[in-house]
Amino acid sequence: MLNLNNIAKTYQTEKIETIALKNINLNINRGEFISIMGPSGCGKSTLLNIMGLLDEPSDGEVKVNGKSITSYHDKEMASLRNSKIGFIFQSFHLIQDLRVIDNVELPLLYRKISAKERRRLATAALERVGLKARTSHFPSQLSGGQQQRVAIARAIVGKPELLLADEPTGNLDSHMGNEIMQILESLHKDDKTTIVMVTHDDELAKRTERTIRVYDGQLIH
Amino acid sequence: MFSHIAKLIWNRKRSNVLIITEIVITFIVLFAIISATLHNYRLFNLPLGFNWENTWAIELNTGSRWNNETDKNQLKAIVEVLKQRPEIASVGLIRMGVFVNAHWRSSRPINGRESIYHSNMVDQDALKNWGVELVAGRWFGEQDNGQSYTEIVVNQLFVDEYLPDQDPVNFEFGDPEQPQILPMRIVGVFKDFRQQGEFSVPGPYMFTRYQIEEGHTYGVREINIKFKEPKTAAYEATLLKLLKSIAPNWEFNINSWEKRREQQIQNVVLPLGLAAVVVIFLLIMVAMGLFGVLWQNISRRTQEIGLRRAIGASERSIRLQIIGEILVLALFGISIAFIFLIQVPLLQLIELVSWSNFWFSLLASVSTILLIVILCALYPSRTAIKMSPAVALHYE
Ligand SMILES: Nc1ncnc2c1ncn2[C@@H]1O[C@H](COP(=O)(O)OP(=O)(O)OP(=O)(O)O)[C@@H](O)[C@H]1O
Ligand SMILES: [Mg+2]
C-alpha cells in the first residue's frame, strides 16, 4: 500500500548538509505490523515522516496505493494525510487548550462529518483505548500513558489504513509502554490496520511481524 | 468548525479577555477621533460666508469706561482717517470679531416659540464689504434711522429654523417681557456669516446695526480694515503710529484675519493630530498585544499548526481557522464598544455626532480594527504554515 523508491533526504542548514536518508527502497504491504530500529540519529523519524507525508523527500518517489504523490498539491496531500494515515508521536502533541474529546475529534474536523457523528466516533475511539471516563479532561490533567492513549485515539478515529508510530512508548515507563503496545497489537489483529512503529525496545520489536533496521540513513538487511 | 473555534476561544479565555479589552478601548478611541475628524472636515468644507483675505482687525481697548463725547469722537476720527488712506478699501466695525471664540447668545420668542441665536453688531456697510451674500431684502441703511423698530439682518439658517413658512423680510418680533424696547425687524437675509470660523457649527445668526452716533455703551470692540493689496507685517507699525496719534489714550492690538484663522485651525487640528498619535500608539499596542497573546508561545502555536497539518488540515483551512478565531474576538470587542458608542447619537450626548457621521465612523473604525487584527494574526503564522508538518511539529 505504500512504496518508497530510491528515497533520499538531506537537510540543508546554514553551513552543513546532513544526509539523513539515502537510497531507501521499501514496500509496506497492507495489514503488516512493522518495527523500525536503529541507533539515535540514523534517520528513523525522517523515514517515518516521509511515509506519513509530513515531510518531502529530497529525491525519490513515494507511492500511496500505487499512485505517485510527487505532483500532489497541498490540498491533495492534506486529504491523504487525513483519510489514509494516522500518526502517533513520541511527545503526544495534544492541544493543551482542548479537552480530550475535542483533541480526538480533531482529524474529523477536516472531513465532512456532522458534529454528532464526530462525537460518536471520538467516543468510540476513546473507548477503544480505555479512556471513556476521561473525555472532558484537559491533557494536562492526564498521565503520560493516558495522554499517549488519547493520541492513539486521535490517530485511529478516522479509521486510517496506515498507522505510523514514532517511539510511541519512548516517553513512558515499561508498564505503560506495554499497555500502548497491547492497543497497537489489537488494532493490528482486530482492525487489520497496517502499523509501522519506530522503537528502541528490542522486546517490542520482537512482537512485530517484521523489523527494518536503519543505519546511517540506509536500510540494512 | 465554528463550534471548534468557539471552544478554543473559550478555553483560552484568560488571554482573550485581555485582547478583547484592548480592542474595545482602541475601537472607542479610534471611533472618537474618526468621528471628530469627519465632523470637523465637514464643517471646514461649509461656506464661511465672508472673505478673510487682506483684512486686519484692530482690537480696541478704550480704557475703563466709554465716554460718550471723547471716545465717540475719537472712534469717528479714526474711521474717517482710515477710510481716506489709499491702501485701505473699506473700514468695518464689529462687536465680536471674526475667528475669535467670543459670541453672544440671545433668545426671544418668535411666533410663540423660543428662538435661540447668536447675535452680533456691525456697522451699516461692513457685511457687504466683507463679501457676505445677501439672499433676500436689503442691508441696513439710512432709511432705518429713527424708525419704530430695531433693524436687523439674519442668516438663512435663522429663517429656516424660526420662520420656515413665512416671508422673513419685514417680519417683526418684540420681546414680550420688555415691551418698552422696540421690536426687531428683519430687513434682509444673508447666506451665512460663520464668525467663529470654519470649524464652528452653523446656526441661526443675527446682526444689529451699529452707529457710532448712537454711542452704545458696550459698542464695538474691533475696527476691521480691508486692504486693496496684501500688506506685510511691517505696515503694522505705520498703522499703530497713525492710530496712536489720534487716540493716544487707547490701546490697539492688530491682527490679520488670516493669522487668526490659522491660529484657530491649529487649535482644532493640533489636538486631533495628538489624538491621532495616541490612536496609532493604541493600535500598535493592540497589534503587540495580539502578537503577544497569540504568539507569546510561538513554538506552541507553530507545533499546533504542524499537528493540524499532520492530521489533515490544508493550509487554507488553517488560515481560515486563525482568521476565524481573531474575527470572533474582534467582533466581540467591537460589539461591546458598539453598545457604548450607540448611546452617543441615541441620547444625543454629543450633538456633533450625527447619524451619518456615526455610521461612517463606525464603518471606518471596524475596517481598521479588522484589518490590523487579521494581519496580526496571519503574519506570524505564515512561516509556520509554509513549514513541512514534520518541521513545524518539532519547532522550538
Ligand atoms: N530539521 C532538521 N534539520 C537538520 N537536520 C535534521 C533535521 N531533522 C533531522 N535532522 C538530522 O537528520 C538525521 C536523522 O534524524 P532523525 O530524527 O531521523 O533520527 P532518528 O533516527 O529519529 O533519531 P532518534 O532515535 O534520536 O529519534 C540526524 O542527524 C538529525 O540531526
Ligand atoms: Mg526519532
Side-chain angles (χ1 to χ4, degrees), chain A residues 25 34 36 71 75 79-80 109 114 125 169 175 177 205 211 217:
Chain A
N25 287 290
I34 299 173
I36 299 179
S71 61
K75 217 178 138 190
S79 148
L80 266 187
L109 217 58
S114 74
T169 61
H175 173 70
T211 299

Side-chain angles (χ1 to χ4, degrees), chain B residues 216-227:
Chain B
H216 303 267
T217 48
Y218 47 82
V220 296
R221 294 192 188 134
E222 275 186 13
I223 305 171
N224 293 284
I225 47 181
K226 203 168 192 69
F227 295 109

Side-chain angles (χ1 to χ4, degrees), chain B residues 291-325:
Chain B
F291 272 132
V293 175
L294 292 177
W295 303 98
Q296 84 213 129
N297 210 331
I298 194 143
S299 59
R300 192 162 129 187
R301 194 80 180 185
T302 304
Q303 284 180 21
E304 185 188 321
I305 289 175
L307 173 80
R308 286 176 187 273
R309 293 198 55 216
I311 61 175
S314 61
E315 292 174 14
R316 187 169 160 270
S317 66
I318 286 183
R319 271 194 208 98
L320 285 180
Q321 182 211 325
I322 291 170
I323 294 176
E325 246 180 280

